[in-house]
Amino acid sequence: MSTADPSTYDVDPGRGWIIFAGAMLALVGTLNVVYGIAAVSNSHVFVHHTEYVLGNLHTWGWVRIVIGAAQVAIAFGVWAATEWGRWLGVLAAALNMFVQFLAFSALPGLAIALFFADVIVIYGLLTYGGADRRSLADWS
């Protein structure tokens, strides 16, 4: 006979992944906005005459600002556990992977780190981000 309340052991297996994915989207989004502003304002952070696959430094600065602002907004949808937040989070992380790949020549170390952070965000959102993630606790 157990006197413990069964709801005490009702664990949401994906809660940590959702918090992590939202935090990483917010962090990566903030970094994209900051580096986008630095690129647009002719800051000395970037090498100025670097060859890019598409566009120039100003173009990629504006792309990073727009994607970063969207990522910060989407992070709140992920934290609220909405379906639109989940799917837009996957889309934003995938789009950011593409941007980091193309902007690799500006800051290669940061681009690789943000690329792999996006891989982990996509894994977390696809595996644990759905409304049905609470049913995973019943499987174990």
Side-chain angles (χ1 to χ4, degrees):
M1 292 188 165
S2 175
T3 59
D5 183 19
S7 65
T8 303
Y9 300 103
D10 185 24
V11 177
D12 181 3
R15 184 75 178 144
W17 280 99
I18 299 304
I19 292 170
F20 176 77
M24 291 309 295
L25 277 171
L27 177 67
V28 169
T30 302
L31 286 173
N32 276 331
V33 168
V34 168
Y35 281 110
I37 290 170
V40 170
S41 67
N42 290 326
S43 176
H44 297 292
V45 174
F46 297 102
V47 177
H48 285 285
H49 299 292
T50 304
E51 295 291 324
Y52 290 90
V53 177
L54 296 171
N56 58 18
L57 184 61
H58 287 281
T59 302
W60 283 110
W62 283 109
V63 168
R64 289 181 99 167
I65 289 171
V66 170
I67 289 174
Q71 285 172 323
V72 170
I74 291 167
F76 289 100
V78 169
W79 286 326
T82 61
E83 279 298 312
W84 64 265
R86 174 191 189 188
W87 293 111
L88 286 178
V90 169
L91 179 68
L95 187 59
N96 190 55
M97 288 171 67
F98 181 70
V99 168
Q100 296 305 326
F101 179 70
L102 292 177
F104 181 77
S105 60
L107 289 169
L110 180 67
I112 289 172
L114 294 179
F115 181 88
F116 285 114
D118 287 325
V119 169
I120 296 169
V121 166
I122 290 173
Y123 169 77
L125 290 175
L126 289 179
T127 304
Y128 297 104
D132 62 342
R133 75 175 191 271
R134 288 174 186 83
S135 66
L136 292 175
D138 297 333
W139 289 25
S140 50

